[in-house]
Amino acid sequence: MKKLYLDYAATTPLCEEAFEAMRVCFADNFGNANSQHSFGREAAKTVAEARATVARVLNAEPNEIYFTSCGTESDNWALKGAALARGDAKGRIIVSATEHPAVYHSAEQLRNAGFDVCELPVDGDGLVHAEELEKAITPDTFLVSVMYANNETGAVQPVKRLAEIAHAHGALFHTDAVQAAGALPLDVKALGADMMSLSAHKFYGPKGVGALYVRNGVNLVPLIAGGEQERAKRGGTTDTPAIAGMAAALKRAYDNLDAENARVASVRDAFVAYVESNVQGAVLNGPKDPELRLPNNADFRFGGIDGEALLFALDLAGICASGGSACSSGSKEPSRTLLAMGLSPSEAKGSVRFTFGRHTDVADALYAAEQVANAVKRLRALQ
Ligand code: PLP
């Protein structure tokens, strides 16, 4: 049976470039990057090169890039580090209603600690409107955190505009770019981001490594207190192989960004066109405008079909997709993001996310779409 992986938003396979960069570290370049001897210096050189590569893609300075253990840590650090730097639990933090759990659970913890946390609503496509931020922002707002692209619908937020509003009111702007990285430009200066979270495993790098861009001048208290690593801002022995793998994967993704985006968008569009014309009641969740949606994302609901039953049927047919996001799988609750967009709980539970990638082509997309049509037909026959 043909097996198709259509869950690239959950994670991606390691690319050759990342694998090779990591192999060298595992095989020979195993020193502790903080050791003073030649083994340490060799590892430190690899880390410095990786930092410079990431900085180049972000149009940042190398000393503005901090390596972390994942996107979740980067998000936690951005929010809690900025809050801890205040000295007291006063002031407002604004987040959108569709943030990843790494942001909204961090915001919730800060609310429990006494901060005033405000959630921005989204429209039916999952987009934040600048006017909503204008209404919510107060003189004591010190941080606005809105994701660059959503992990369920692929909705691309107007981060540049939101950052301008945050700055006009004296607040910092953080963006979770975990889903955007590898698909959208990450120029922090053009976007106006003071902090930006990344995670390597979403762009064909290894799992368990991320980065946080922190603009020089932003005061962030360390989340992982420890030694002198990462300029004494993030303790823990440096994971040289993971960092080298992350940088190699990011470079590969941005060396070929436009061509791969166009290719994967045509794969996704073939899937969407087939499903829309062959599956009765299929509705695409999120923005229809390709400029406002990640090129690899198709998130559908199928009137009256239970998403879990459909995923199960698809898995049996060799199609690996996802209900909402991998981070909330196992949860019986409907997706917070889809509810915030105005979907009913049953519509939200009936939604399935298909995300395409480097190893899917148009023939795969059409095959998968046919399997979706068959599975929906079979499930409807059972109703
Ligand atoms: N933020 C977003 C938007 C994500 O999609 C994810 C992962 O799914 C994360 C943060 C967390 O990243 P990590 O898996 O590296 O912890």
Side-chain angles (χ1 to χ4, degrees), residues 15-366:
C15 66
E16 280 293 324
E17 291 82 349
F19 189 63
E20 178 54 22
M22 295 176 80
R23 192 196 60 74
V24 172
C25 297
F26 285 127
D28 304 311
N29 185 7
F30 64 88
N32 184 324
N34 276 60
S35 296
Q36 300 303 307
H37 48 60
S38 60
F39 280 86
R41 289 198 302 275
E42 186 64 22
K45 182 167 167 266
T46 298
V47 173
E49 284 167 4
R51 204 183 301 282
T53 299
V54 175
R56 254 195 315 278
V57 173
L58 270 63
N59 189 22
E61 297 302 318
N63 70 0
E64 294 175 313
I65 306 298
Y66 294 87
F67 291 112
T68 65
S69 66
C70 57
T72 298
E73 183 191 324
S74 299
D75 285 343
N76 270 260
W77 188 14
L79 270 76
K80 295 176 190 173
L84 283 172
R86 304 276 297 164
D88 57 25
K90 291 208 177 86
R92 175 170 278 205
I93 301 169
I94 301 178
V95 298
S96 88
T98 64
E99 294 300 311
H100 185 271
V103 167
Y104 77 75
H105 283 151
S106 293
E108 246 170 32
Q109 286 183 315
L110 292 170
R111 177 184 280 135
N112 293 338
F115 289 95
D116 170 22
V117 174
C118 169
E119 235 181 52
L120 291 178
V122 293
D123 67 14
D125 284 342
L127 295 168
V128 172
H129 288 259
E131 308 81 73
E132 296 294 343
L133 179 57
E134 294 274 17
K135 271 194 266 168
I137 203 157
T138 51
D140 68 344
T141 300
F142 63 92
L143 179 65
V144 176
S145 178
V146 176
M147 69 202 323
Y148 195 175
N150 185 264
N151 44 302
E152 290 180 52
T153 61
V156 177
Q157 300 293 358
V159 288
K160 184 175 186 307
R161 182 74 196 106
L162 300 175
E164 281 166 4
I165 296 168
H167 293 157
H169 291 80
L172 294 172
F173 185 79
H174 164 251
T175 190
D176 173 341
V178 168
Q179 289 291 335
L184 301 177
L186 296 180
D187 183 328
V188 287
K189 293 191 177 73
L191 292 168
D194 299 298
M195 294 183 276
M196 176 185 277
S197 303
L198 303 177
S199 173
H201 74 103
K202 306 290 186 180
F203 49 81
Y204 306 84
K207 292 164 186 60
V209 60
L212 183 66
Y213 158 78
V214 184
R215 181 177 56 71
N216 280 332
V218 171
N219 182 17
L220 211 60
V221 170
L223 183 69
I224 310 287
E228 294 301 304
Q229 295 91 354
E230 297 299 300
R231 300 174 301 291
K233 287 285 197 184
R234 198 273 180 187
T237 300
T238 308
D239 190 344
T240 312
I243 289 168
M246 177 175 186
L250 195 68
K251 179 174 179 332
R252 154 89 197 258
Y254 281 83
D255 279 351
N256 192 32
L257 192 70
D258 293 344
E260 178 55 15
N261 277 350
R263 193 201 65 82
V264 81
S266 69
V267 172
R268 185 270 315 272
D269 292 347
F271 177 84
V272 169
Y274 187 100
V275 170
E276 286 185 335
S277 44
N278 292 283
V279 186
Q280 212 205 340
V283 179
L284 196 61
N285 296 320
K288 316 292 173 273
D289 178 348
E291 293 293 308
L292 298 176
R293 182 178 202 113
L294 288 177
N296 73 336
N297 174 294
D299 192 66
F300 270 110
R301 61 182 189 269
F302 300 94
I305 296 284
D306 177 55
E308 227 171 289
L310 180 56
L311 282 173
F312 188 65
L314 288 174
D315 195 23
L316 287 177
I319 308 297
C320 303
S322 161
S325 69
C327 305
S328 53
S329 70
S331 158
K332 293 278 170 250
E333 295 305 311
S335 148
R336 221 176 137 267
T337 293
L338 298 179
L339 292 182
M341 288 162 57
L343 271 68
S344 69
S346 76
E347 284 174 327
K349 285 184 126 182
S351 294
V352 174
R353 179 187 70 185
F354 303 88
T355 43
F356 302 85
R358 260 179 222 169
H359 305 283
T360 30
D361 61 19
V362 169
D364 293 330
L366 293 175

